[in-house]
C-alpha cells in the first residue's frame, strides 16, 4: 500500500501530493470584470436612450463616439456597445466613419409602426384582461399613480416609462411571452413618436390619459373585449395626433 502522505516518485521527478493537487485545480474565473463591464454598457445605453426620449438630441442630430464618451464620463467601448444597441432599437442610424445620427421621424414609418401596434396590442390587452389577477391589477394601479405624478411634474421621460410599465403589467398577465417580446421591440422603434405624443399630452393635461383609467376599470371588471377596444381606439387617436404634430414640424422646417 502507498502512503498518501509520502511523495510520489515517477521517472526521477518527485511531486509532493499537495503540490500535485494544486497544479490540477482549474484557474478560478474572474466574473467581476465581465459583470462591471456589462453593467456599465447597460448604464450608458439607458442614459443615451433617455437623452433621445427627452428630445435632448433631436432627430437628425449627429453623435460622435468620442464626444458622447466624454459627456457620460466613460471610455469609447461602452459607447460603441450602446450605439450598437440603439441602432438595433431603431433609435439611431450608424454610418461607417461618420458616427451616428438620431433617426429622423417620418409619417410613413409612423403609419407602419402603428399599423402593427394596432394589430398586436389590443390582442395583448384582451389576453391580459382575461387573466389578470389582483396582483396584476394592483401593479397597474401603482404605475398609474406614478405616471400621474410624472405628468403633474411635467416629466415626459418618467411618464413614458410608467405608461410602458402599466401596459407591460397588463400584457404580462396574459402569459403570452412571444407576443409581449414582439410588442416590447415595437416600443423601442415607436418611442420617438410616442415622445411627441407625451410631450403634447403634458401640455393638454391629465385628461389625455383618461383611456388608462378606463382600461383599469375594464380589467378590474374582467371585461377583456372592452380593454381591447379601448386600446385600439387609443392608438388610432394617438397616430392621428402624432401625424398632425409631424405635419406641423415639417411645415415649420420648410
Amino acid at each position: 500500500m502507498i502512503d498518501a502522505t509520502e511523495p510520489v516518485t515517477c521517472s526521477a521527478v518527485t511531486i509532493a501530493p499537495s503540490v500535485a493537487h494544486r497544479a490540477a485545480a482549474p484557474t478560478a474565473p474572474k466574473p467581476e470584470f465581465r459583470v462591471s463591464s456589462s453593467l456599465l454598457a447597460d448604464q450608458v445605453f439607458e442614459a443615451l436612450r433617455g437623452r433621445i426620449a427627452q428630445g435632448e438630441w433631436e432627430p437628425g442630430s449627429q453623435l460622435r463616439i468620442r464626444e458622447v464618451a466624454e459627456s457620460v464620463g466613460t471610455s469609447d467601448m461602452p459607447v460603441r456597445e450602446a450605439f450598437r444597441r440603439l441602432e438595433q432599437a431603431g433609435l439611431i442610424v450608424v454610418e461607417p466613419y461618420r458616427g451616428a445620427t438620431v433617426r429622423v421621424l417620418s409619417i410613413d414609418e409612423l403609419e407602419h409602426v402603428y399599423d402593427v401596434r394596432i394589430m398586436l396590442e389590443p390582442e395583448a390587452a384582451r389576453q391580459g384582461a382575461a387573466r389578470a389577477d389582483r396582483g396584476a391589477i394592483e401593479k397597474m394601479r401603482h404605475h398609474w399613480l406614478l405616471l400621474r405624478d410624472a405628468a403633474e411634474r411635467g416629466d415626459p421621460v418618467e411618464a413614458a416609462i410608467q405608461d410602458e410599465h402599466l401596459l407591460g403589467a397588463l400584457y404580462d398577465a396574459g402569459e403570452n411571452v412571444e407576443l409581449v417580446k414582439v410588442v416590447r421591440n415595437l416600443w423601442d422603434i415607436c418611442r420617438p413618436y410616442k415622445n411627441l405624443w407625451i410631450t403634447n399630452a403634458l401640455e393638454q393635461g391629465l385628461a389625455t390619459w383618461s383611456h388608462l383609467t378606463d382600461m383599469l376599470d375594464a380589467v378590474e371588471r374582467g371585461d377583456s373585449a372592452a380593454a381591447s377596444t379601448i386600446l385600439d381606439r387609443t392608438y388610432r387617436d394617438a397616430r392621428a395626433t402624432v401625424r398632425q404634430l409631424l405635419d406641423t414640424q415639417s411645415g415649420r422646417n420648410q
Side-chain angles (χ1 to χ4, degrees):
M1 175 180 293
I2 299 175
D3 187 346
T5 62
E6 292 297 321
V8 178
T9 304
C10 179
S11 302
V13 178
T14 301
I15 305 175
S18 59
V19 175
H21 177 70
R22 288 199 300 271
T27 303
K30 297 180 179 180
E32 64 278 2
F33 174 78
R34 293 196 299 273
V35 171
S36 62
S37 177
S38 175
L39 288 175
L40 181 58
D42 289 344
Q43 290 169 356
V44 173
F45 170 71
E46 292 298 337
L48 302 189
R49 185 168 69 170
R51 290 184 180 184
I52 294 172
Q54 282 180 294
E56 181 177 338
W57 290 330
E58 296 182 353
S61 299
Q62 190 166 31
L63 309 177
R64 299 189 184 280
I65 289 176
R66 181 61 55 82
E67 293 173 0
V68 173
E70 290 177 357
S71 74
V72 297
T74 69
S75 64
D76 291 356
M77 190 59 68
V79 176
R80 290 183 189 277
E81 172 62 16
F83 274 19
R84 184 186 67 80
R85 292 171 60 185
L86 289 168
E87 184 177 34
Q88 288 178 338
L91 298 178
I92 66 173
V93 177
V94 178
E95 299 181 68
Y97 311 111
R98 296 189 61 186
T101 55
V102 179
R103 183 165 52 85
V104 176
L105 307 186
S106 76
I107 290 178
D108 283 346
E109 183 179 56
L110 167 73
E111 296 286 351
H112 295 159
V113 170
Y114 269 87
D115 279 346
V116 180
R117 294 190 73 186
I118 289 167
M119 283 190 285
L120 297 181
E121 291 193 54
E123 174 60 17
R126 186 193 67 77
Q127 293 182 14
R131 296 177 175 84
D133 58 15
R134 177 53 51 187
I137 293 170
E138 289 304 318
K139 187 179 293 186
M140 291 176 66
R141 291 199 177 279
H142 170 72
H143 290 301
W144 162 243
L145 292 176
L146 293 178
L147 191 160
R148 189 179 66 184
D149 290 345
E152 290 174 347
R153 294 195 312 271
D155 185 342
V157 174
E158 186 62 21
I161 290 170
Q162 296 306 327
D163 180 82
E164 290 183 4
H165 284 335
L166 188 157
L167 290 174
L170 174 60
Y171 298 167
D172 287 343
E175 300 180 356
N176 189 329
V177 176
E178 295 306 318
L179 175 58
V180 174
K181 190 183 301 182
V182 173
V183 166
R184 290 186 181 279
N185 286 336
L186 281 171
W187 284 353
D188 273 338
I189 298 171
C190 193
R191 194 166 285 111
Y193 299 96
K194 187 175 181 179
N195 184 57
L196 284 177
W197 184 90
I198 286 180
T199 301
N200 180 72
L202 292 178
E203 295 172 358
Q204 303 301 319
L206 275 175
T208 50
W209 273 284
S210 62
H211 65 280
L212 290 179
T213 57
D214 294 340
M215 173 77 72
L216 281 163
D217 290 342
V219 175
E220 186 98 44
R221 299 192 309 270
D223 191 341
S224 57
S228 177
T229 299
I230 290 167
L231 208 57
D232 182 278
R233 182 178 66 246
T234 297
Y235 283 172
R236 292 181 189 276
D237 291 345
R239 178 171 60 183
T241 298
V242 176
R243 186 192 303 119
Q244 184 176 14
L245 292 169
L246 288 175
D247 282 339
T248 301
Q249 285 185 354
S250 177
R252 286 201 301 261
N253 292 334
Q254 288 179 355

